[in-house]
Amino acid sequence: MFDLKGKVAIVTGGNGGIGLGMAKGLAVAGATVIIAGRNQEKSNTAVEQIAALKTGEARPFAVDVTDEVSVNALVAKTVEACGRLDILVNNAGINIRKPPDQLTLAEWQEVIATNLTSAFLCSHAAYPAMKQAGGGKIINIASQAGVVALDRHVAYCSSKGGMIMMTKVLALEWARHGITVNAISPTVTLTELGKRAWAGQVGEDMKQLIPVGRFAYPEEVAALALFLASQAADMINGENVLID
C-alpha cells in the first residue's frame, strides 16, 4: 500500500532538512521526486544523494515559491517532463525569531509569503493537473507552532496556524475531485538548522514540555509524509497530525 512507483511528487524546500528527508522517503517508495528550491546547487546535491539510494528518481528545479509565475512554471514543466503530478509537499518555510514589537512589517510579510502564501500558490497551481488525473495528495508541513504559542514566533505561528486552516478548507473543497489535503505539525526537528536554533538551555527547556523528552528526527516526519502520500491514507482528509 506504500508503493509509489509511477507517481510524481513535488517537494518544495526539498533540498535540505525535513524536506530532503521526505524527498528521500518518497523516492525510496518509488516516486519520481522534483526537488524544488531556490538554491540550485543545494538541489543538485540533494538529487545526487537520492541517486545514491539507487531507487526512485529525483530532478532539481529552481523556483521562487513566493512568485506565482515561478510556481506555475514549476508545475507546468513537471507535468510536461513527467506526464503527471500526483503528490505535492508544501514544505518551504522560514522563521524570523523576534519579539512582536521588534518585528518589522517587511519581516512579517516575508514569513507569511514564504510559509503560507507559497503553499496556496503551489496548491492552486497543482489543482488542475490533479483534478484532470482524477486525484492527488497535498501534504502541508505546518508546525506545533500552528497550535501552541511560542515566544518570538508571532509571524511563524500565524503562518502555520493559517496553513492548518487552509488545509481544512482545501480538503473540504477538493475531496470531490479525489484530492486529499492534510497537514503535518512536527515539534522541533533535528535538522542542521534545528540543532543550531535549539542548542543549549533553550533546547533543554523545550524538551521538558515534550512528553517523550526529546526532539523529532527528519525520518519520523518523512515516514508520516510517505503514509499520507500513499493509498493507505485515502480516507484521511483535512487532518493536522502532530508529531510531538
Side-chain angles (χ1 to χ4, degrees), residues 46-70:
V47 168
E48 291 172 2
Q49 292 180 26
I50 291 172
L53 300 174
K54 301 185 184 304
T55 180
E57 179 186 358
R59 305 180 186 186
F61 195 99
V63 64
D64 177 358
V65 292
T66 68
D67 180 77
E68 184 176 18
V69 173
S70 183

Side-chain angles (χ1 to χ4, degrees), residues 65-238:
V65 292
T66 68
D67 180 77
E68 184 176 18
V69 173
S70 183
V71 167
N72 288 344
L74 164 67
V75 172
K77 291 182 179 180
T78 295
V79 173
E80 180 183 353
C82 303
R84 58 191 298 137
L85 174 59
D86 304 282
I87 301 159
L88 168 65
V89 182
N90 288 311
N91 168 73
I94 62 169
N95 187 18
I96 298 176
R97 298 173 66 189
K98 284 186 176 182
D101 53 296
Q102 296 180 19
L103 192 75
T104 67
L105 176 59
E107 290 169 334
W108 166 274
Q109 291 174 330
E110 182 181 4
V111 173
I112 297 298
T114 305
N115 296 3
L116 179 56
T117 305
S118 70
F120 171 75
L121 290 176
C122 291
S123 300
H124 189 272
Y127 169 72
M130 290 184 174
K131 179 182 177 183
Q132 184 174 10
K137 306 277 190 172
I138 298 176
I139 302 167
N140 295 322
I141 306 306
S143 169
Q144 66 170 7
V147 294
V148 298
L150 299 176
D151 67 328
R152 297 183 297 157
H153 280 68
V154 64
Y156 190 80
C157 286
S158 298
S159 68
K160 295 302 186 178
M163 176 180 269
I164 291 167
M165 286 310 303
M166 183 188 73
T167 296
K168 293 179 179 294
V169 174
L170 295 184
L172 176 66
E173 297 268 10
W174 294 350
R176 61 183 175 272
H177 302 301
I179 301 169
T180 61
V181 189
N182 291 288
I184 299 175
S185 286
T187 185
V188 176
T189 305
L190 291 174
T191 62
E192 290 306 311
L193 180 61
K195 291 175 184 177
R196 292 195 300 270
W198 294 92
Q201 191 59 46
V202 64
E204 295 305 312
D205 292 344
M206 177 61 79
K207 289 177 189 177
Q208 298 304 310
L209 303 177
I210 302 172
V212 297
R214 67 169 176 86
F215 294 143
Y217 297 106
E219 293 80 8
E220 293 172 311
V221 182
L224 179 54
L226 172 58
F227 169 65
L228 292 175
S230 74
Q231 63 176 346
D234 280 353
M235 196 57 183
I236 299 176
N237 191 34

